[in-house]
Amino acid sequence: MPEGMNTIYLRGEDSFVTIVGEDGRHYGGNQAWFAWEGRERQSHVARQGACGIVALANIAAYLAGSGSTYGALYPYPDYGKASFLAHMADLYGYASPFHIGRFPLGIWPVSRLANGMERFAKERGVKLQAVWRNWEFSRENVLRYIWDGLAKDRPVAMLVGTHKLRQVEVVFPGGGSYSQDISLHWVTVTGVKMEDAMGTVKLVVSTWGGRALLDLDEYVRERVYAGVVYFE
């Protein structure tokens, strides 16, 4: 962690992409919301494998709210659940998940997700590019990259690999929580915090419509499918 610092958040982390629906308030989107009438197979694949699209939708909505430069990334008048779902559907065509029939395989590698976001932005007249670093995948470099993105007020899309970090507590803004499996799953990083004197670092993330904490050391144990990317 950068010397002299132990916590960093997006400037708007406390109200990060607050989506309001009939089931309460949400901290970012939820892939379980995907549904297309008459297209049950596509809906099933999206609900099971389009977590990366939700990460992009979160990032686009957050950037759109940060200033007029990025306003076209979210053209909807509110952050109601119906509007945000339409926004998620807009992005779906740019980096849809691989699948075999009804069996979803997710979105990978990281460059596939990044390229989709760049195309989405370009077609809306917004200049946005993925930030790449020619760094080895390590604890220090992953933390440094995420820290750099958050310091620029850029949410970071993070692909969780196949390691044993399976169940995390997902907490909703209006109260309530539940445990969810996040292996092979995209999340949106909104903060970094040091939890104790031993140097335990937790990543604050948006996932499944709520806020969760992931242990950085657990995350970097498996690196085959893991990865991070932010845009500027």
Side-chain angles (χ1 to χ4, degrees):
M1 185 168 288
E3 185 177 354
M5 299 182 182
N6 56 24
T7 298
I8 187 169
Y9 294 99
L10 293 173
R11 293 171 199 159
E13 188 276 330
D14 57 344
S15 58
F16 176 76
V17 190
T18 302
I19 302 162
V20 181
E22 67 285 350
D23 52 351
R25 292 186 295 126
H26 300 271
Y27 184 81
N30 187 341
Q31 71 198 70
W33 299 341
F34 275 114
W36 286 273
E37 186 175 354
R39 291 187 283 173
E40 179 52 36
R41 186 174 74 173
Q42 183 180 10
S43 299
H44 172 79
V45 168
R47 288 191 293 267
Q48 298 296 316
C51 45
I53 296 300
V54 178
L56 294 186
N58 288 341
I59 291 169
Y62 184 84
L63 292 179
S66 69
S68 59
T69 301
Y70 301 110
L73 296 178
Y74 188 86
Y76 297 95
D78 57 46
Y79 284 87
K81 192 172 176 180
S83 292
F84 199 80
L85 179 55
H87 173 58
M88 286 162 50
D90 290 343
L91 274 152
Y92 190 85
Y94 291 87
S96 56
F98 293 115
H99 63 95
I100 299 175
R102 286 175 54 87
F103 183 74
L105 301 174
I107 303 171
W108 49 272
V110 175
S111 59
R112 174 176 167 83
L113 192 83
N115 291 340
M117 182 63 143
E118 290 176 350
R119 292 196 306 273
F120 172 81
K122 183 177 180 179
E123 290 189 9
R124 284 152 181 78
V126 177
K127 184 178 180 181
L128 197 67
Q129 292 184 318
V131 175
W132 300 110
R133 296 284 187 261
N134 187 25
W135 295 342
E136 175 189 0
F137 187 93
S138 67
R139 183 187 193 276
E140 178 183 356
N141 287 339
V142 167
L143 179 56
R144 180 180 168 195
Y145 181 89
I146 292 173
W147 193 281
D148 287 350
L150 297 178
K152 297 174 184 176
D153 202 34
R154 299 294 191 268
V156 181
M158 184 174 86
L159 176 58
V160 180
T162 59
H163 56 69
K164 299 302 182 182
L165 178 63
R166 300 223 178 249
Q167 294 288 322
V168 299
E169 183 181 19
V170 180
V171 180
F172 298 102
S177 67
Y178 75 110
S179 294
Q180 179 65 50
D181 186 338
I182 62 157
S183 62
L184 291 174
H185 182 64
W186 285 95
V187 300
T188 314
V189 184
T190 63
V192 172
K193 58 186 295 190
M194 182 178 288
E195 288 228 315
D196 54 42
M198 300 299 294
T200 302
V201 175
K202 293 295 180 73
L203 305 176
V204 183
V205 306
S206 166
T207 181
W208 295 101
R211 187 178 189 269
L213 297 176
L214 309 186
D215 187 289
L216 176 66
D217 290 310
E218 291 289 336
Y219 171 69
V220 298
R221 284 181 184 176
E222 195 279 327
R223 61 191 64 189
V224 176
Y225 293 104
V228 287
V229 64
Y230 69 87
F231 302 87
E232 64 179 12

